[in-house]
Amino acid sequence: VYYYGGCRQLAYTCICATGPNSAVLHYGHAAAPNERILHDGDMALLDMGGEYACYCADITCSYPVNGKFTADQRIVYNAVLAAQQAVFAALRPGVEWTAMHQLAERTILASLAAAELLTGDVDTMMAHHLGAVFMPHGLGHLLGLDTHDVGGFPPGRERAQAPGLKSLRMNRQLEEGMVLTVEPGCYFIDHLLDEAMSSETTKGFFVADKINRFRGFGGVRLEDDVMITVNGMENFTICPRTVEDVERVMAGSPWPPEPVVKV
């Protein structure tokens, strides 16, 4: 990328985390350096972006360091992938970004319920803001000359205050030509789990023995850079995303399988 692609700068400090550190949203700085040894069975989360002609990229990949997903890793990874794909299918001009965040939350909660980590009605979980326990950050942000670009709060729009939504870096309708990130995640953060699992209003949603199995897991995030088009979106990120593609690439298969030709 440096020698042949012209990306001579980083868009931001890279986030390179494995194991439980992948649940630290901006892990890797002077107070918490990227110094953990990679262990067999860990998930890695790499959030990186180059800068080209002063414009930023912001991409996150998550994968097992040994090249093979465990059953538990598949549950979390596929929950996040399903959320990202659901948002992709819904993106178009006029869509409210808060609605996209809620769609991602709902999809992750439904996946965790299907895996029997959670129990109960997903609509009720959403009403109690359970999504913010597992995704305590916004779904994404505008991207341009700055990694977290301006324009997220146009006149008359304020930051949402509900759990989860208050972490969003924009509260507006999408418009054709906007470039933004779509980065759902699912994390197992002890203090958030402890609070929710001890609350009278939310503790009944958790299957405690199964949730506790994931303590120390860390988290999964998948982040692609997209542009809103007249009737949908275009994805600029060409990364292996399915479990099968990730495992094939880590086993040595070429990526992309065929050259990408822009017409």
Side-chain angles (χ1 to χ4, degrees), residues 54-74:
C54 297
Y55 283 87
C56 300
D58 187 356
I59 297 167
T60 306
C61 296
S62 299
Y63 55 88
V65 298
N66 65 9
K68 289 290 185 180
F69 287 86
T70 67
D72 283 350
Q73 289 169 348
R74 282 173 178 261

Side-chain angles (χ1 to χ4, degrees), residues 120-139:
D121 177 64
V122 174
D123 287 337
T124 309
M125 295 179 196
M126 290 291 295
H128 286 89
H129 306 294
L130 206 67
V133 175
F134 296 98
M135 191 172 80
H137 62 73
L139 175 64

Side-chain angles (χ1 to χ4, degrees), residues 7 25 29 33 48 53 61 65 80 87 95 111 127 131 149 169 192 194 202 214 227 246:
C7 293
L25 300 184
H29 49 79
M48 302 178 175
C61 296
V65 298
V80 176
V87 171
V95 166
S111 295
D149 215 5
R169 296 182 184 270
L192 296 180
D194 290 342
T202 55
F214 284 80
M227 181 178 72
V246 171

